[in-house]
Every structure is written in C-alpha cells, then in structure tokens.
Amino acid sequence: MAAEEQRLRPNNSCKAPEEKGILDYCEYALTRNEYFAGDHLTGADIQMIFPLEAAKARGRLIEYEACNDYVDKIHKRPAYLRALEKGGDYAYGPKGI
C-alpha cells in the first residue's frame, strides 16, 4: 500500500499511542485542577472541550474518569448551553437539548 493511502486510512486501533499520551496528560491535568489552567475557566478549556467531546463520542474516554467528568461539567454550564442554542445542531454536545 502506498504511503499516502496508509496515511488516509482510518485508525482502527482502540487508541493510537499519541492519542493515549494526550488523554493521559489531560487526565493528569484534570485530576489536579478543576480546569486545564487552574481553578477558573480559561481559553484553554474552550480549546480542549472539542477534542474531549469527540473522544467521548467515540468511546475513547472510558478509562478517563476526570476527562468524562470535565466534559459533563462543561456541558452543564449555562453559557455553553446558550451557545448551543444559538449555534444550532452539534453532534458532540449534550443530548436532549
């Protein structure tokens, strides 16, 4: 198989080593702080919610309790819910909105 074809094929493994390293780091950070940069919501959290939502939707957060709790916490924030109302359909947001 050509290198380009290999690169474009979906990763069928449960977790690529790079993904596991990133999720391990996120879990580590979120077990020490309420949010990524400390005890208050910052731009880092705005940046990180999407990849964690996508990972959760694909069943990749099963072993990551702090990451799951973080996604659930962000999904309950009134500002997040208002943004979803304004933005429309979003596959990775909380269900039932």
Side-chain angles (χ1 to χ4, degrees):
M1 177 178 320
E4 182 66 10
E5 288 177 325
Q6 181 66 29
R7 186 182 69 76
L8 295 175
R9 289 182 63 202
N11 180 359
N12 292 325
S13 66
C14 180
K15 280 194 268 278
E18 298 86 6
E19 181 181 15
K20 182 179 181 333
I22 291 166
L23 292 175
D24 286 349
Y25 177 78
C26 290
E27 184 75 4
Y28 172 83
L30 293 170
T31 58
R32 280 148 183 77
N33 295 300
E34 189 170 345
Y35 297 98
F36 275 98
D39 293 330
H40 302 285
L41 184 77
T42 67
D45 300 292
I46 305 306
Q47 289 286 109
M48 290 305 299
I49 189 59
F50 174 75
L52 289 178
E53 287 172 325
K56 184 172 184 168
R58 289 172 174 80
R60 299 299 212 297
L61 296 186
I62 292 170
E63 302 169 12
Y64 298 96
E65 184 178 347
C67 290
N68 269 301
D69 292 346
Y70 173 81
V71 170
D72 293 343
K73 175 174 53 179
I74 296 294
H75 283 178
K76 292 176 185 171
R77 292 182 60 86
Y80 181 91
L81 297 172
R82 285 192 306 274
L84 288 179
E85 287 175 8
K86 290 181 181 183
D89 290 340
Y90 180 59
Y92 301 121
K95 304 301 177 217
I97 291 184

